[in-house]
Amino acid sequence: MRKILTAFRNHYLIIFSRISTLFSVCIMFTDFAGVVSLAQSVPPIEWSEPVNVSDTPGWTSKSPVLALGGNTIHATWWDDDAGTYPGEVRYKRSLDEGKTWGDPHTFTTQNYHGQRIVALGDTVIAFWNEYAGYMEGARWVGTMFCSRSTDGGITWSEGQPLSALGTYEGPIAYASEGHAVVAWLAPADGGGSSAKLLLSDDAGASWEGNGDSDGDGLIDPIDVPLPGPSYPNVDVVIAGPVIVVGVLIQSWGEAGKIYCVRSDDWGQTWSTKEIYVNDSGPNTHPMQLRLGAFGSSITAYWGTTFGSGIYAGMKWVATSLDSGLTWSDPILVAQSDDSAPIHGDVCMNGSRALIFWIDQTPSRYPFYLYYRRSLDGGFTWEAAQRIPTGLLQRFDGAESCVSTENSVYVAGSSGEAGRDIWLFRGSDPTLPDTIPPTLSAEWIPLKVEEDEGEFRLEFSATDTSDPAPQVVGVIVTPSLDGLEIKLKVKSEVKVEFELDKGKVKIEGPDPDALLAQLQQYGGLVVESGQLVKVELDDDDEGEQEFKFDKNGKLKLEAASATLQVTAEDASGNTSTIQVSPQFTPDDDDHDHDDDHCGDKGKDKDDDKDKDKDKSKAAPTPLQVISSASQLTQNYPNPFNPETWIPYHLSQDASVIIRIYNASGRLVRLFDLGHQTAGFYTSRDKAAYWDGRNSIGERVASGTYFYTLKAGDFTATRRMIIMQ
């Protein structure tokens, strides 16, 4: 079992990736010069005979790009009868899993470099670059165009320019439900490249950027900050509510790096995460970065050359389960001393990830087409498999791939006198989901003294394939084994242990059901958002009491306090974590402006004298709470139909909260205006959401993301609604 544990005081995030259930036989062997693999126990992909998509004898067709829209496969590629620039950008579609293809459509005859296509159901958007009449260095400079179809590729709008800025490389595009993003490289001031980006939240009907500064009707693109010098390679995906741009930085003669540049506020601000540093010397150049995404999971895939030429190389992958916030260590997936694993692509569907490449020999013939498959989201990979190519031997690469639950499609160009676009269709058996849910849990301190305090429990789970895994939170109690059990019907719930006497008393409206709960879960079941008052007594473990008061607060008088959270997804994968509160020794009792969390009546009256003494000086924050701005977990969570979103501002700021669904579509926006520094955690201060979208409709059950923007501070968290 692979386990990644990150702990911050009383806040723990655990990510599990279980591989023990994946492989019934664990045989180690090597392929591609020392790359270690696990022997597979599921059948390999069954490949059909390749199909000629372009079917233009004598023409040079290359750089295919695939997209899936429902049951339709869309393909676009570069085409020219003489094999010289400029060329045409052509399009075809298939309604029968790639077996046959319709008539071609030509977008432009002035394409020099790059085209992309994305699909959102019946809406299909094509992008391409047209020559602008000059070059900078060795690169063409052009203008970005797009065309849109709303009937599944039958008819297309006239091509419209998106950007008047010169384009080095691109376009690079990605779409998820109603959102689309297109990025490209443009000349930068002072030389080198800059990355540009446009966004659409209406399936390409309109585009957003930085306004129209010169009034020419074209939108100024968003600038994506690049962490390095000239001529990078970029790719872009939308992962959950986050835009992720993969960046490969390479100055020839120097070691290169791979970065993730991400924005969780839709292009307003960006952060950078280093994924890979090429420390193997100046002759090992990173090249051709690709990203694949499914939900919040991302697989980054790139190559490096080594030695004196390109006919020797390696392929690498790294995986993120949280929209690019954290990444696994890079994994070497292909290596060869006398051939080049180059020109590949990556795609994801659920917990399955697939990478493709060609193995190019020094003699240039034959070019073998390979793939590797991961069943746990990219953490472990099966052995490399060769795709049968029949009489086809020369490929420019496995240049584009897409996948459904049971099918995989790979496109590449091949041929001698001219080239054609060929599609390989693979039938993949229904794969088991093997990734357990990701859990997070916290004891949020509200009022803390040494060995006692008041807390709010917050816990949640997310999963790569199940939008709403089942989550159970339990306050762990001592074992009932060997104890004399007494049941009593009472209006309030209380479990009282007399361990030194071998007895336990269980009281509640239905004590039999409460007993069954304790036996099944090993404690009292609680929901996220539950208020808990804890009094620890290490000296007396014999008597321990767990009870809910009339206000619903859980009170613990026990030797220890432990929250255990277990999640199970639809495939039966489970994760479990346990966390305990942290107590901060302090002479004073610091309140955290959550009056609704305090006890009513006697407990509050007993504190009046203390409050009078403390009123002479401003209270200091709890030591366990950061002085920086924070966005904490919503409560309750999961919820139905309403929830509160708490946060803390370290300084005065204008506050905006956005709520997105799992596909990244904006569901609701709350402009809370300018707020002073302080804690906004109680129900009368925290942001409130009634579970409705911007037009008042109830949203569907599932995982949602909420983003807080306060000045320069931005943070995103997950929440789950269960109708």
Side-chain angles (χ1 to χ4, degrees):
M1 179 181 291
R2 179 185 177 95
K3 177 178 178 182
I4 302 173
L5 170 63
T6 302
F8 176 72
R9 291 181 174 156
N10 64 321
H11 180 196
Y12 295 81
L13 172 65
I14 297 183
I15 301 173
F16 293 88
S17 180
R18 178 182 304 162
I19 64 173
S20 58
T21 59
L22 287 180
F23 304 99
S24 58
V25 180
C26 190
I27 303 173
M28 303 299 292
F29 65 96
T30 62
D31 63 286
F32 283 96
V35 182
V36 179
S37 308
L38 282 172
Q40 61 202 31
S41 61
V42 296
I45 298 173
E46 296 181 2
W47 296 95
S48 61
E49 290 293 322
V51 175
N52 191 331
V53 178
S54 57
D55 196 18
T56 50
W59 284 52
T60 297
S61 305
K62 61 181 182 179
S63 304
V65 180
L66 300 177
L68 287 173
N71 296 321
T72 303
I73 307 174
H74 306 274
T76 183
W77 67 92
W78 183 92
D79 220 343
D80 186 73
D81 60 351
T84 58
Y85 296 104
E88 300 182 4
V89 174
R90 291 197 174 190
Y91 161 85
K92 283 186 179 181
R93 68 176 192 151
S94 173
L95 304 178
D96 57 3
E97 299 182 316
K99 299 172 186 175
T100 61
W101 293 81
D103 295 332
H105 174 81
T106 299
F107 292 116
T108 181
T109 61
Q110 296 297 314
N111 179 251
Y112 271 76
H113 192 287
Q115 76 285 330
R116 283 292 189 274
I117 192 166
V118 296
L120 296 161
D122 287 335
T123 299
V124 193
I125 314 168
F127 307 90
W128 66 90
N129 174 28
E130 291 192 5
Y131 178 45
Y134 64 97
M135 297 179 66
E136 288 194 5
R139 301 189 178 213
W140 298 106
V141 178
T143 302
M144 186 72 61
F145 281 76
C146 82
S147 179
R148 185 169 178 263
S149 171
T150 57
D151 54 13
I154 300 174
T155 60
W156 290 87
S157 65
E158 183 179 352
Q160 297 293 327
L162 286 182
S163 170
L165 295 178
T167 304
Y168 272 154
E169 290 186 4
I172 302 135
Y174 193 86
S176 176
E177 297 216 346
H179 290 286
V181 55
V182 58
W184 64 95
L185 294 178
D189 294 338
S193 302
S194 63
K196 307 293 182 181
L197 182 143
L198 291 178
L199 301 171
S200 173
D201 60 5
D202 54 10
S206 62
W207 294 89
E208 300 176 4
N210 283 326
D212 180 8
S213 60
D214 55 9
D216 61 357
L218 300 178
I219 301 172
D220 298 337
I222 296 169
D223 288 311
V224 180
L226 298 183
S230 61
Y231 306 134
N233 168 220
V234 300
D235 201 2
V236 63
V237 294
I238 301 173
V242 180
I243 302 168
V244 177
V245 179
V247 181
L248 184 155
I249 299 295
Q250 175 64 64
S251 294
W252 293 106
E254 299 178 4
K257 296 182 179 181
I258 306 291
Y259 294 91
C260 164
V261 183
R262 64 192 300 274
S263 173
D264 54 17
D265 56 8
W266 296 100
Q268 296 184 48
T269 59
W270 298 86
S271 61
T272 299
K273 174 72 175 181
E274 188 176 85
I275 302 176
Y276 168 81
V277 178
N278 180 25
D279 56 3
S280 301
N283 291 324
T284 54
H285 307 295
M287 57 188 298
Q288 197 205 23
L289 172 67
R290 294 289 185 267
L291 300 179
F294 187 87
S296 59
S297 298
I298 309 172
T299 296
Y301 176 46
W302 69 94
T304 57
T305 62
F306 64 88
S308 59
I310 70 167
Y311 296 111
M314 298 175 283
K315 283 292 189 181
W316 302 82
V317 295
T319 298
S320 172
L321 297 179
D322 53 11
S323 302
L325 188 62
T326 59
W327 290 84
S328 68
D329 292 334
I331 301 172
L332 178 63
V333 290
Q335 176 177 334
S336 179
D337 293 329
D338 59 0
S339 60
I342 59 175
H343 299 312
D345 200 11
V346 56
C347 57
M348 300 187 70
N349 190 282
S351 59
R352 180 184 62 192
L354 291 157
I355 56 174
F356 298 86
W357 71 93
I358 61 168
D359 193 34
Q360 180 174 317
T361 62
S363 63
R364 302 184 65 83
Y365 301 104
F367 293 177
Y368 296 123
L369 185 58
Y370 287 91
Y371 76 93
R372 293 188 76 163
R373 179 174 59 182
S374 171
L375 304 182
D376 60 359
F379 286 103
T380 61
W381 294 84
E382 297 174 343
Q385 298 287 324
R386 204 171 106 187
I387 299 175
T389 57
L391 298 177
L392 302 175
Q393 290 192 338
R394 176 176 176 174
F395 290 93
D396 279 352
E399 296 165 274
S400 182
C401 64
V402 292
S403 63
T404 65
E405 184 177 354
N406 301 108
S407 298
V408 183
Y409 305 94
V410 186
S413 56
S414 176
E416 293 299 326
R419 301 176 196 169
D420 281 308
I421 304 301
W422 293 85
L423 181 82
F424 296 85
R425 180 172 59 89
S427 177
D428 208 351
T430 301
L431 301 177
D433 171 24
T434 56
I435 302 180
T438 299
L439 286 171
S440 64
E442 293 181 84
W443 292 73
I444 302 297
L446 305 174
K447 182 179 180 182
V448 179
E449 295 180 350
E450 186 175 5
D451 294 336
E452 66 178 75
E454 296 180 6
F455 302 86
R456 182 175 65 249
L457 304 180
E458 295 181 357
F459 53 89
S460 62
T462 57
D463 190 72
T464 57
S465 58
D466 186 350
Q470 295 183 352
V471 185
V472 178
V474 175
I475 294 295
V476 178
T477 60
S479 173
L480 300 179
D481 293 345
L483 298 182
E484 178 186 348
I485 300 174
K486 294 184 178 181
L487 305 179
K488 191 172 185 179
V489 177
K490 286 277 191 176
S491 59
E492 296 182 1
V493 172
K494 182 171 73 171
V495 181
E496 185 176 359
F497 289 86
E498 295 181 279
L499 299 178
D500 50 352
K501 298 179 181 180
K503 298 180 180 180
V504 59
K505 182 167 61 177
I506 301 174
E507 300 178 352
D510 189 347
D512 290 303
L514 185 57
L515 172 61
Q517 180 186 115
L518 293 170
Q519 291 173 331
Q520 179 178 356
Y521 297 107
L524 294 172
V525 175
V526 293
E527 295 183 356
S528 183
Q530 174 68 53
L531 303 178
V532 183
K533 183 175 182 178
V534 181
E535 294 182 9
L536 296 185
D537 188 355
D538 296 332
D539 297 330
D540 187 6
E541 297 185 5
E543 296 184 4
Q544 300 187 41
E545 185 177 273
F546 304 77
K547 68 177 181 179
F548 289 92
D549 66 16
K550 61 182 180 179
N551 298 313
K553 179 188 293 184
L554 176 60
K555 293 187 176 182
L556 278 64
E557 296 179 7
S560 62
T562 301
L563 169 65
Q564 176 178 291
V565 182
T566 301
E568 181 176 2
D569 63 21
S571 300
N573 302 304
T574 60
S575 299
T576 300
I577 57 175
Q578 290 187 344
V579 292
S580 298
Q582 176 172 328
F583 295 89
T584 303
D586 204 341
D587 294 336
D588 294 325
D589 183 17
H590 300 310
D591 287 307
H592 184 308
D593 78 7
D594 275 60
D595 293 340
H596 73 287
C597 299
D599 287 343
K600 307 294 183 181
K602 184 177 184 302
D603 289 341
K604 197 166 184 178
D605 292 336
D606 290 344
D607 287 339
K608 284 183 178 179
D609 293 337
K610 293 182 181 180
D611 291 339
K612 289 179 181 179
D613 294 337
K614 290 189 293 181
S615 64
K616 298 177 182 179
T620 58
L622 285 172
Q623 295 178 24
V624 294
I625 298 178
S626 170
S627 60
S629 295
Q630 290 181 331
L631 175 64
T632 53
Q633 192 65 47
N634 65 302
Y635 63 94
N637 187 50
F639 64 96
N640 177 25
E642 59 184 8
T643 190
W644 283 261
I645 299 174
Y647 54 96
H648 164 231
L649 300 180
S650 61
Q651 58 186 0
D652 299 355
S654 296
V655 177
I656 295 177
I657 291 179
R658 294 178 174 88
I659 298 174
Y660 303 91
N661 65 16
S663 299
R665 177 180 287 276
L666 181 65
V667 173
R668 194 77 178 267
L669 185 148
F670 299 98
D671 189 344
L672 304 180
H674 191 78
Q675 296 186 334
T676 58
F679 291 95
Y680 295 82
T681 55
S682 61
R683 295 199 176 198
D684 60 336
K685 292 184 178 182
Y688 168 78
W689 185 37
D690 60 0
R692 298 178 183 271
N693 61 20
S694 57
I695 60 176
E697 300 171 333
R698 292 270 183 208
V699 301
S701 298
T703 300
Y704 290 79
F705 298 83
Y706 55 99
T707 295
L708 171 71
K709 173 72 174 175
D712 294 331
F713 174 78
T714 302
T716 299
R717 279 180 173 262
R718 298 179 178 91
M719 58 183 168
I720 299 173
I721 185 169
M722 302 180 66
Q723 301 287 11

